[in-house]
Amino acid sequence: MNRQKLEAELSYKFEIENLNAWFGSKQVLKNINMKIKEKAITAIIGPSGCGKTTLIRCLNRMHETVPDAKVTGRVLFNGVDVYGRDIDPVQIRRKIGMIFQKPNPFPMMSIYDNVAIGLKLNGVKDKRKVDSIVEKSLRMVGLWDEVKDELNKSGASLSGGQQQRLCIARALAVEPEVLLMDEPTSALDPISSAKIELLIRELAEDYTIIIVTHNMQQAARVSDYTAFLYLGELIEYGPTRQIFENPKNELTEKYLTGGFG
Amino acid sequence: MTRLIDAGLEQVKNILLRMGNIAHEAISISLKGYIEGLSTYSEVQKISDILIITEEEANDKIFELIARFQPVASDLRLLKSCMKISYSLARYGRYALDISQIYEKIDGLALCEDWIRNHIIEMSEKVLKMIQISVELLNNRDINEARNLSEIEKQVDEMYFKYLDNLMDKPSTVNKCIISSVLVVRYLERIADHATYIGESIFYIVTGEKIILR
């Protein structure tokens, strides 16, 4: 293999091969094949029920936590199949963090503990190290200056936008390589959403980000690549500019322009 | 399925069609005046002013649609292209005014030899044909017709350069005739360019492919 080809392959964080997923007998993903670039933002768009959320939940093996759920195919993460025999799903989920639609800080925990919990569960006991990572994580999401004097307050006391940034800080604290975001701003007001979008772009300097969104303009604003899913199939995938300006597939065109009847 | 944006897109198309018909009229009047020795400046000026105002109207509508609907894909390509087309249609009006001004400031073809008169009439017919095709493209979006513009544009270009060469070979030609006719053929050549710009825009709307027809 020549060097150029090798480098091109190494720049993919995920290589998804023949991925199928089911809930019971209902197949929700059909033979998905796609490669996801490292340190880029990939948006997954498509109508409700098309399999967007299932796709990202397959990447960190969360799909299998649902009773009756099944997956076939391969998901290579850094070249290693996350569904391999010796792979610990907990370790995979530590490397591939997830942010949900509704901010979900642990309500009984302080702001500090919300961020530190992952570290403590991973056995980090050094208080100074934990302090340092909590501060770094909160700074990364632009929350430090807003909460540094009230770290002991409940995470639930923050506004919706702040709570979502707290959840992102919680995910960052365990030093993941990938952030999966499932409609991370759909429960937020436009100003909070704009802050999260800006944060997503900043985080893409260091992390691979995959975002599921119903908001097509959000996909157009923040992502580098866009994938369009329909009825469990990957219809079109390419650079965001190409998808939004000049989609090649008629279904993509119809979905983007609101032509689905 | 009818979409909310569709009524707005139809409005933009109708504004451009209106501009196209007005622009064709302006150039026809100015060329007829120049060829037959009639003053058309004030009439063409009024039409050119209407085109400038209508271009603004088209752009306002396009901006409104962008702000309200955040168009993407073929809608986005259509609106981007409509902005370029409205500019080209407004330029038709400006060149029509320039041609009618040449008659006012310099002269028409009265003192010119027959070969010059015939050359300009032939070139004018080709350019008017191109304008007509470019306006029809707004409605029919026929990419084969858009490609045909390229062929006529080549002929107009050749006629333009041939004309300059012929003038150089005939030192006896009256100065006034040289100046006015050279300016007119230059404007005709530019109008032909704008007709092909419209063809390129239509091609982009339909196929998403950016091509150069000139």
Side-chain angles (χ1 to χ4, degrees), chain B residues 9 14 28 31 34 44-45 53 60 82 92 103 110 112-113 121 124 129 146 151 159 161 163 165 168 198 201 210:
Chain B
L9 295 176
N14 288 334
S28 299
L31 283 172
Y34 179 73
V44 174
Q45 186 174 36
I53 293 165
D60 283 349
C82 284
Y92 283 163
Y103 177 77
C112 295
E113 297 164 44
I121 288 172
S124 298
K129 177 74 184 162
E151 195 46 48
M159 289 188 78
F161 288 111
Y163 186 71
D165 288 345
M168 301 297 282
I198 293 174
S201 293
K210 291 175 182 167

Side-chain angles (χ1 to χ4, degrees), chain A residues 15-45:
Chain A
E15 291 167 73
I16 301 168
E17 296 173 355
N18 306 319
L19 184 71
N20 294 279
W22 289 263
F23 287 112
S25 60
K26 183 178 164 50
Q27 186 169 6
V28 285
L29 289 180
K30 297 170 188 167
N31 206 33
I32 305 288
N33 286 280
M34 64 190 290
K35 292 179 177 181
I36 295 176
K37 280 263 188 186
E38 185 173 25
K39 292 183 184 173
I41 302 172
T42 300
I44 317 278
I45 62 169

Side-chain angles (χ1 to χ4, degrees), chain B residues 84-206:
Chain B
K84 292 174 81 169
I85 291 169
S86 72
Y87 174 73
S88 285
L89 294 172
R91 290 306 298 166
Y92 283 163
R94 178 66 221 187
Y95 290 129
L97 188 63
D98 288 337
I99 290 167
S100 60
Q101 194 174 35
I102 288 166
Y103 177 77
E104 298 293 321
K105 298 279 183 193
I106 307 168
D107 203 356
L109 295 173
L111 300 174
C112 295
E113 297 164 44
D114 280 350
W115 73 270
I116 293 179
R117 185 184 180 84
N118 292 338
H119 194 99
I120 287 186
I121 288 172
E122 191 187 343
M123 213 169 151
S124 298
E125 284 168 355
K126 284 190 188 298
V127 168
L128 282 169
K129 177 74 184 162
M130 288 183 78
I131 296 168
Q132 189 191 338
I133 292 172
S134 69
V135 174
E136 284 168 1
L137 283 175
L138 301 173
N139 226 354
N140 62 29
R141 295 192 193 173
D142 182 339
I143 57 171
N144 292 321
E145 276 292 284
R147 277 210 174 93
N148 285 343
L149 279 174
S150 166
E151 195 46 48
I152 312 177
E153 198 265 346
K154 266 187 212 149
Q155 294 169 16
V156 171
D157 257 11
E158 280 167 16
M159 289 188 78
Y160 170 63
F161 288 111
K162 188 178 167 197
Y163 186 71
L164 298 182
D165 288 345
N166 284 350
L167 276 184
M168 301 297 282
D169 292 342
K170 296 181 193 301
S172 62
T173 310
V174 179
N175 280 347
K176 268 181 159 183
C177 177
I178 293 176
I179 296 167
S180 88
S181 61
V182 164
L183 285 168
V184 168
V185 293
R186 175 65 182 153
Y187 292 137
L188 289 174
E189 190 270 339
R190 291 299 299 139
I191 292 167
D193 278 348
H194 279 278
T196 51
Y197 296 155
I198 293 174
E200 289 165 4
S201 293
I202 297 295
F203 204 91
Y204 177 65
I205 291 169
V206 175

Side-chain angles (χ1 to χ4, degrees), chain A residues 216-217 220 241 243-247 252-253 256-261, chain B residues 1 3 69-77 80 204 207-210:
Chain A
M216 283 185 292
Q217 291 311 317
R241 182 178 168 180
I243 297 285
F244 279 85
E245 187 181 329
N246 196 6
T252 319
E253 163 78 32
L256 291 174
T257 57
F260 270 170
Chain B
M1 190 174 92
R3 307 165 307 154
F69 297 100
Q70 294 103 48
V72 293
S74 59
D75 295 332
L76 182 63
R77 297 204 304 272
K80 179 186 172 187
Y204 177 65
T207 67
E209 195 184 331
K210 291 175 182 167

